Amino acid sequence: MPPAAPPPLAPTKPKPQHWDIQRAVRKNILALAPYRCARDDYDQGILLDANENALGHALPAANGDSSVTDTSFDDLDLHRYPSPTHYDVKQRLCELRGVPSPHNFFLGVGSDEVIDLLFRIACVPGRDRALVCPPTYGMYSVCAQVNDVEIVKVDLDVEGGKFRPKVDEINRTLSAAAKSDNPIKLIYLCSPGNPTGTLIPLDDVRAILANPDYEGLVVVDEAYIDFASRDKSAVELLVNEGWSNLVIMQTLSKGFGLAAIRLGIAISSPELIQVLNNIKAPYNISTPTASLALRALSPQGLSAFRQNISTLLSNRSYLASALLSLPSIIALPGAGDANFLLAQVAGRDGRPDNARAKEVYTHMAERDRVVVRFRGNEVGCEACLRITVGTRDECERVVERLRELLQ
Ligand SMILES: Cc1ncc(COP(=O)(O)O)c(C=O)c1O
C-alpha cells in the first residue's frame, strides 16, 4: 500500500523578497489544470478505473535463465500503473539529504528530464533566455534549443584551471537582460562541474540568488555532489536559508551507480515542486525504478553506497598521482571533486597540444579499447582528456596505456 501523502507545508515567505513565483513561471503553466490520474483518487479495492490488464503481466518466469526478467520484479504489481508521487522514495531522500519534507522533492526520468521541464516552466519559447557557464554539461544547450530558448554564455574563469563563475559579470548580464524584451529566466550552475570537476562556492551561488533584478530560477546541478571532498551542497541554501528561487538537481546515476534506472531529483520550495508535478507525465517514474531506488536508499543500500564512494575516492587519488607521474601530462585542471579527472596533454615542446590529445584519445579508443572523452575543444580545457575514475584495475590500465603512448 503506498504511503499516505505527507501533510502539506505552510506557504513560505519568498526569499529574496522581490522574487515572485508568478513572474518566474510561465503564465500558461501557472494556469494549468493538471491531469488527474486514476491513482490520484483511489489506490485500493477492485481497481477497474485505469484500464489496466486484470490478468497481470505475461513475462515468462526466469527459471534460472539469466536472459529473462529477474523474478524479484514479480511481486511489483507490474500490471498496475505506478504511484504518481512516490512519497516513500522521497521520504528516504529527505533523511539522506537533510531536507524537511517530501514536498521539497520532484522525481524525474534522470536529471535530463528535470533540465527539460525547468525550461518548459520558466522560459517562454522564442522570447526568454537562459544562462550557462561554459565549460559545462551539454544538455542545458540541447534542451534550450529543443524549447526554442536562446542561450547566453558567461564562461567560467578558467585561469589556472580554477573554473569559478564570474559572478559580477553574470549579475551584470542578468540585470541588463531584465530590462530587455528577452529576459533571462533560468541559470544552470554545475557543481561539481562537468567537465571541470570543481565545486562552485556557495557564496557565489548566494550572490546570484540575491540579484535584485533577476526574476528567474537559479539551478545548481549537483549530479556529482557525492564525490565532493567537502560538504558543499547547495541544499543548505534551501533548507537553512530559504531561497525560493533555487532549484537543486541531483541523481542516482553517479554516486549510487544506478544510471540505468533513470532517477533524477529536483529539490526546491514546495510551491515550485508543485509546478513541476503539475506538468510531468502522470506516471513518469516506473514501479521497477522506484523499487530499486528504495533498495538503494535502505540502510544496507546506503552502507554499500558509502563504501563504493570511499573506494572511488581512493581510486581517484591513485589516478591523480599516477597521471601526474606520466611524461606528457602537465596538469590536472580543476579541483577533482567528481568521479573523473581532466588530464592535460603536452606536445614535445612541453605546451598543451590539442592535436596530440585527440590522437591519444582516438588511438586508445580504437586500438586499445580504452575509452576516455576528448574535451580539448571546451573553454579552458585545451588538450584535456576527461577520464572517469574506474575500478583500480581500470585506472591502472588507462595509466599504462597513456604511459606507452606518451613516451
Ligand atoms: C552535470 C550532469 N548533470 C546531469 C547529468 C544527467 O544525469 P541523469 O543520468 O540523472 O540524467 C549528467 C550526466 O552525465 C551530468 O554530467
Side-chain angles (χ1 to χ4, degrees), residues 35-42 49-52 80-86 107-109 113 277 279-287 289:
Y35 176 73
R36 203 165 166 82
C37 59
R39 287 300 149 266
D40 281 323
D41 294 330
Y42 300 100
D49 57 348
N51 304 340
E52 294 151 334
R80 298 288 179 205
Y81 282 106
S83 158
T85 52
H86 297 292
L107 301 180
V109 183
E113 185 190 23
N277 280 326
I279 73 160
K280 77 177 174 72
Y283 307 107
N284 62 335
I285 305 301
S286 76
T287 304
T289 290

Side-chain angles (χ1 to χ4, degrees), residues 218-336:
V218 178
V219 185
V220 181
D221 182 348
E222 294 190 345
Y224 299 97
I225 197 67
D226 296 315
F227 304 103
S229 45
R230 288 145 286 148
D231 183 16
K232 289 290 162 57
S233 168
V235 166
E236 174 189 329
L237 302 181
L238 180 81
V239 174
N240 299 339
E241 301 179 23
W243 295 93
S244 323
N245 49 350
L246 172 65
V247 182
I248 298 135
M249 293 198 319
Q250 297 183 350
T251 177
L252 294 199
S253 295
K254 310 293 178 178
F256 281 88
L258 287 170
I261 76 168
R262 312 305 299 130
L263 195 84
I265 297 156
I267 315 172
S268 189
S269 70
E271 292 82 0
L272 199 88
I273 293 299
Q274 185 58 55
V275 175
L276 285 168
N277 280 326
N278 290 351
I279 73 160
K280 77 177 174 72
Y283 307 107
N284 62 335
I285 305 301
S286 76
T287 304
T289 290
S291 160
L292 290 166
L294 277 175
R295 272 167 67 186
L297 296 165
S298 68
Q300 298 99 305
L302 290 177
S303 126
F305 153 76
R306 293 198 174 103
Q307 182 60 48
N308 283 349
I309 296 285
S310 140
T311 303
L312 288 171
L313 295 189
S314 126
N315 292 355
R316 184 175 74 191
S317 303
Y318 160 77
L319 184 63
S321 48
L323 287 171
L324 283 172
S325 75
L326 296 180
S328 299
I329 300 293
I330 45 171
L332 303 180

